Amino acid sequence: MERRLTRGFGLSAIGLAFLGLAACGGVLTPVSPTALPAISQVPEAPASEGVPGISNVIQGTIEPLDEDTPPCWANLYPCEVFDFATVEEGPIEVALTWDGPPRALMVQLYWAGAGLAHEDVAPLNGPSRIAFVRPRMEAAAYRLRVVSREPADTIPFTLVITY
């Protein structure tokens, strides 16, 4: 009999606690979010000033390696070189597509005169496409190389560089 009173008292105490929470607007009552004050928008600078978000679309072709085309990567492979500069810190995004085998081209992003920042090649069995984003790159001069790994073939490509 004593056990029943203890058990009954414990359940009653828990029930009263939940009833008190509900009556006081506790965790059982949904709360709507508080509206934040409006923030004035800063106008965007024109794209001509070199702000992030500039996209350069380049249609090109890498020609086969011959006497008239000097190799530009490891003295074995032809490539096309593109120089650009960013005026403030931010992301650099590169997308490359081409006509040819998935591993025919690779991309190398360099800090101009300073070293390799990123190198990428398409998956072995994937599409003929490379895409990457370097999310935080400093304001600097850069060089991007599109390297042909098929030195005997002509490979047309489309390159998009966004910064």
Side-chain angles (χ1 to χ4, degrees), residues 34-129:
T34 305
L36 296 175
I39 299 173
S40 63
Q41 297 295 322
V42 177
E44 292 187 37
S48 61
E49 292 182 16
V51 297
I54 293 176
S55 288
N56 295 297
V57 179
I58 302 158
Q59 300 281 330
T61 303
I62 297 182
E63 298 295 330
L65 193 58
D66 60 17
E67 302 85 36
D68 298 330
T69 308
C72 76
W73 187 69
N75 289 325
L76 299 172
Y77 301 98
C79 68
E80 292 292 323
V81 176
F82 304 96
D83 293 323
F84 64 98
T86 59
V87 295
E88 62 183 45
E89 181 181 284
I92 295 176
E93 183 174 348
V94 174
L96 175 68
T97 57
W98 63 93
D99 296 331
R103 305 282 278 197
L105 297 182
M106 70 180 207
V107 174
Q108 297 175 316
L109 176 64
Y110 289 88
W111 287 280
L116 185 65
H118 188 92
E119 183 175 74
D120 217 329
V121 65
L124 185 60
N125 295 319
S128 299
R129 176 177 169 71

